[in-house]
């Protein structure tokens, strides 16, 4: 991985940071000295998570943001502009998995739309709303929380390691998210902003009903990408073991 930026003085917004991997990404960045903005759609959950980090001695501020609600996203951007005047790091972590175990032929289009609203369109809404603030940073970083399930290489063909994991809605939403990363990266080329996808691997959170490794381990790649130096990647897909195939 690239050289790491000094986190001190950096302002980081993590969506869906009230629990799970998002909370651990916030903790990881806060431990390194960043001021973390705990994005949460439920204000009380955001306040509780921020308070938990403050009790550990870190700088954490709650920001109410429901990524599928344009007014909420705009209000969050306004709050950050007023309180901090810039944003250095945006971690698009909030995500849902609401359709499981079904074959694509049984997929429910309504669930698919709902999944894309959060995992894809919500990410575009938040990214575009925060870009004016990220452009005020000397090194804006965007990290999209993707999944191995969004990888063509890991899912295509009967022998692919993740081909048995069914959910057309979730899996394809993460493939679309990776496409967002690649497309934004082209726009950011030659600017101080970098965007990458992070693969946390299977982590024990509410999303997985507690199956997998600790969320703190899943947070490692996202924290590194959020602090990647000027020599760091733009438009890549990484886990804590390095590059993930598209
Ligand atoms: N866990 C894994 O094994 C795994 C593997 C690969 C990728 N990921 C990805 O990692 C990210 C975090 O997952 P997780 O496992 O930590 O899930 P989680 O424990 O279910 O947490 C998801 C977070 O997203 C928030 N959220 C959902 N919809 C939102 C919205 N419309 N606006 C704002 N926040 C919203 C949730 O808020 P509430 O508390 O209000 O519901 C919660 O804070 C997701 O993008 C997921 O797809 C997870």
């Amino acid at each position: 991985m690239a050289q790491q930026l000094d986190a001190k003085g950096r302002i980081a917004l993590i969506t869906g940071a009230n629990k799970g991997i998002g909370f651990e990404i916030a903790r990881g960045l806060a431990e390194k000295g960043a001021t973390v903005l705990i994005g949460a759609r439920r204000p009380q959950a955001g306040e509780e998570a921020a308070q938990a980090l403050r009790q550990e001695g870190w700088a954490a501020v709650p920001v109410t943001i429901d990524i599928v609600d344009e007014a909420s996203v705009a209000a969050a951007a306004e709050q950050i502009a007023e309180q901090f005047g810039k944003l250095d790091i945006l971690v698009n972590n909030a995500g849902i998995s609401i359709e499981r175990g079904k074959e694509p032929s049984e997929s429910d289009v309504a669930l698919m739309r709902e999944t894309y609203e959060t995992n894809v369109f919500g990410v575009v809404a938040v990214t575009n709303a925060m870009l004016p603030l990220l452009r005020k940073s000397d090194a804006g970083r965007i990290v999209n929380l993707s999944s191995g399930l969004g990888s063509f290489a890991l899912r295509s063909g009967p022998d692919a390691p993740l081909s048995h994991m069914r959910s057309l809605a979730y899996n394809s939403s993460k493939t679309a998210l990776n496409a967002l990363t690649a497309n934004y990266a082209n726009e950011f080329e030659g600017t101080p902003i970098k965007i990458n996808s992070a693969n946390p691997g299977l982590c024990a959170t509410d999303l997985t009903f507690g199956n997998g490794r600790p969320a703190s381990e899943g947070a490692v790649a996202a924290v590194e990408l959020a602090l990647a130096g000027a020599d760091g990647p733009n438009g890549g897909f990484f886990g804590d073991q390095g590059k993930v195939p598209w």
Side-chain angles (χ1 to χ4, degrees):
M1 185 60 76
Q3 281 184 345
Q4 295 281 283
L5 296 169
D6 184 354
K8 289 186 192 68
R10 299 205 165 266
I11 311 294
L13 170 67
I14 304 98
T15 62
N18 52 286
K19 65 179 185 182
I21 298 168
F23 180 76
E24 294 299 337
I25 294 170
R27 179 186 263 147
L29 288 169
E31 279 173 357
K32 290 182 186 292
T35 295
V36 293
L37 311 186
I38 304 294
R41 59 181 163 180
R42 293 174 293 117
Q44 196 181 337
E47 178 48 48
E48 283 169 9
Q51 204 175 345
L53 291 183
R54 285 198 299 270
Q55 275 166 4
E56 293 177 17
W58 314 126
V61 176
V63 170
T64 301
I65 181 167
D66 182 336
I67 70 164
V68 300
D69 176 345
E70 274 183 45
S72 169
V73 171
E78 219 167 285
Q79 180 190 339
I80 297 167
E82 273 171 24
Q83 273 186 273
F84 302 99
K86 67 157 184 176
L87 188 64
D88 298 292
I89 296 165
L90 168 63
V91 182
N92 285 311
N93 166 79
I96 58 172
S97 172
I98 52 177
E99 179 214 55
R100 288 159 202 275
K102 288 186 179 167
E103 295 295 347
S105 57
E106 301 163 330
S107 254
D108 178 333
V109 174
L111 287 184
M112 195 148 176
R113 275 204 190 96
E114 198 179 332
T115 304
Y116 272 61
E117 281 295 339
T118 302
N119 293 5
V120 184
F121 308 141
V123 171
V124 175
V126 174
T127 302
N128 288 353
M130 299 301 161
L131 265 172
L133 291 164
L134 286 158
R135 289 199 176 103
K136 294 192 173 152
S137 169
D138 58 352
R141 300 287 177 264
I142 303 171
V143 184
N144 291 333
L145 264 287
S146 184
S147 166
L149 295 172
S151 159
F152 279 109
L154 298 177
R155 290 197 50 79
S156 301
D159 300 328
L162 299 180
S163 61
H164 61 291
M165 302 283 284
R166 304 289 206 264
S167 171
L168 186 63
Y170 183 80
N171 299 348
S172 67
S173 76
K174 293 299 183 182
T175 310
L177 179 65
N178 281 346
L180 298 187
T181 299
N183 279 270
Y184 275 104
N186 291 338
E187 181 178 348
F188 299 150
E189 208 52 57
T191 80
I193 301 181
K194 295 181 188 298
I195 184 168
N196 290 286
S197 284
N199 176 21
L202 184 66
C203 294
T205 64
D206 289 349
L207 188 136
T208 59
F209 304 108
N211 295 307
R213 61 184 184 158
S216 56
E217 292 178 20
V220 169
V223 170
E224 279 192 26
L225 289 168
L227 292 171
D231 62 334
N234 178 39
F237 188 14
F238 299 90
D240 56 334
Q241 302 301 316
K243 266 194 172 181
V244 179
W246 290 113

